[in-house]
Amino acid sequence: MLAVLFPPQITAQPASITTAVGQNVSFTVAATGSPTPIYQWSRNGVAIPGATSPTLALNNVTLANAGAYTVSLIN
């Protein structure tokens, strides 16, 4: 059996979003890879616990949610 592996590759970048306090926002990324990539979202360089899906949803945002959000992929 031959397994062909390849590193994660982002196929759709998350969009930059500016919103108002009290609104809901979400960031979505699409990627390919073998094995299937694992996602980790971060805010200001710090991993967000449990944020490990292709979409990061922030509900009823506050000023405390402000920052730079990024996503890392590994496989």
Side-chain angles (χ1 to χ4, degrees), residues 8-15 27-33 37 39 41 53-55 71 73:
Q9 181 174 14
I10 294 176
T11 57
Q13 293 279 346
F27 300 97
T28 301
V29 64
T32 60
Y39 303 84
W41 290 92
S53 71
T55 299
V71 63
L73 290 85

Side-chain angles (χ1 to χ4, degrees), residues 19-23 43-44 60-67 69:
T19 192
V21 169
Q23 297 298 308
R43 184 174 68 87
N44 296 330
N60 194 25
V61 298
T62 67
L63 291 176
N65 296 116
Y69 288 83

Side-chain angles (χ1 to χ4, degrees), residues 1-61:
M1 180 173 167
L2 174 65
V4 177
L5 306 177
F6 57 97
Q9 181 174 14
I10 294 176
T11 57
Q13 293 279 346
S16 179
I17 299 172
T18 301
T19 192
V21 169
Q23 297 298 308
N24 299 333
V25 298
S26 63
F27 300 97
T28 301
V29 64
T32 60
S34 179
T36 302
I38 298 170
Y39 303 84
Q40 178 60 64
W41 290 92
S42 299
R43 184 174 68 87
N44 296 330
V46 178
I48 302 168
T52 56
S53 71
T55 299
L56 174 66
L58 302 174
N59 297 316
N60 194 25
V61 298

